[in-house]
Amino acid sequence: MNKKVKTYSLLILIGILLAYITSQLLKLIFGNFNTFDKEKDYTFFILSVLIAPFIETFIFQYIVFKIPFSLNILKINKYSITFLILISTILFTFQHQYNIAYTIYAGVIGLYLAITFAYAEYIKEGLISGFKLVASIHLLLNFIAEISKLLSL
């Protein structure tokens, strides 16, 4: 297996483990924090799994990082990357305010997605597309959540 596939696989696995551990800890504290209807909503499934990850990755990672750097508003360095990771995380979290537990969960996942995007785009430049990697992780996390929801009916 080449380095690109190993890195891609490892980052996806870390994302899944982080989501699982975070959700289990929050369930211990808050109980079931999923506020969505538990009916079989296939339209929501399609939106959540096939559309939202790409739109949200474009808005909350791609635009947040690419515009300041491409317009020379910020220089690429560890401070500006850290600043944009925080901005990306805050925006992602604010978009996912369903209840306090879900907001915390979204903040943790948003931070991971922002760090992963920055890693792929600016630290390991050229090894993996940050957009493809983050959208894939986001898609997979949403898929697992939606399948879990459908199976729990």
Side-chain angles (χ1 to χ4, degrees):
M1 194 171 0
N2 69 26
K3 186 173 181 160
K4 187 176 188 176
V5 173
K6 284 181 185 176
T7 304
Y8 201 83
S9 301
L10 179 62
L11 290 170
I12 289 173
L13 181 61
I14 290 169
I16 293 169
L17 289 173
L18 179 65
Y20 178 77
I21 291 167
T22 303
S23 68
Q24 293 307 306
L25 288 172
L26 289 170
K27 282 179 186 176
L28 285 173
I29 297 167
F30 295 101
N32 187 5
F33 60 89
N34 187 351
T35 61
F36 303 112
D37 291 334
K38 286 197 166 196
E39 54 189 61
K40 291 185 179 184
D41 187 348
Y42 296 108
T43 304
F44 188 78
F45 181 89
I46 290 168
L47 289 172
S48 173
V49 174
L50 299 178
I51 298 172
F54 296 99
I55 292 172
E56 289 184 358
T57 300
F58 181 75
I59 293 169
F60 300 125
Q61 283 88 35
Y62 188 84
I63 289 177
V64 167
F65 282 91
K66 294 295 184 174
I67 287 180
F69 291 147
S70 64
L71 296 177
N72 291 320
I73 295 169
L74 294 173
K75 300 281 186 220
I76 299 174
N77 60 48
K78 65 182 177 181
Y79 302 109
S80 61
I81 290 172
T82 302
F83 173 72
L84 293 176
I85 287 171
L86 292 174
I87 296 298
S88 174
T89 301
I90 290 166
L91 292 174
F92 186 88
T93 303
F94 283 158
Q95 177 63 28
H96 296 85
Q97 290 188 29
Y98 304 114
N99 59 46
I100 187 67
Y102 195 84
T103 302
I104 294 168
Y105 174 80
V108 171
I109 298 305
L111 178 61
Y112 178 73
L113 295 176
I115 290 170
T116 301
F117 186 88
Y119 174 81
E121 289 291 321
Y122 304 105
I123 297 166
K124 290 293 184 184
E125 223 174 317
L127 179 63
I128 302 170
S129 161
F131 183 87
K132 289 178 187 174
L133 176 62
V134 169
S136 297
I137 292 168
H138 195 162
L139 183 150
L140 192 56
L141 294 177
N142 285 6
F143 177 77
I144 292 168
E146 288 300 310
I147 290 296
S148 297
K149 184 172 73 174
L150 291 173
L151 292 176
S152 72
L153 295 173

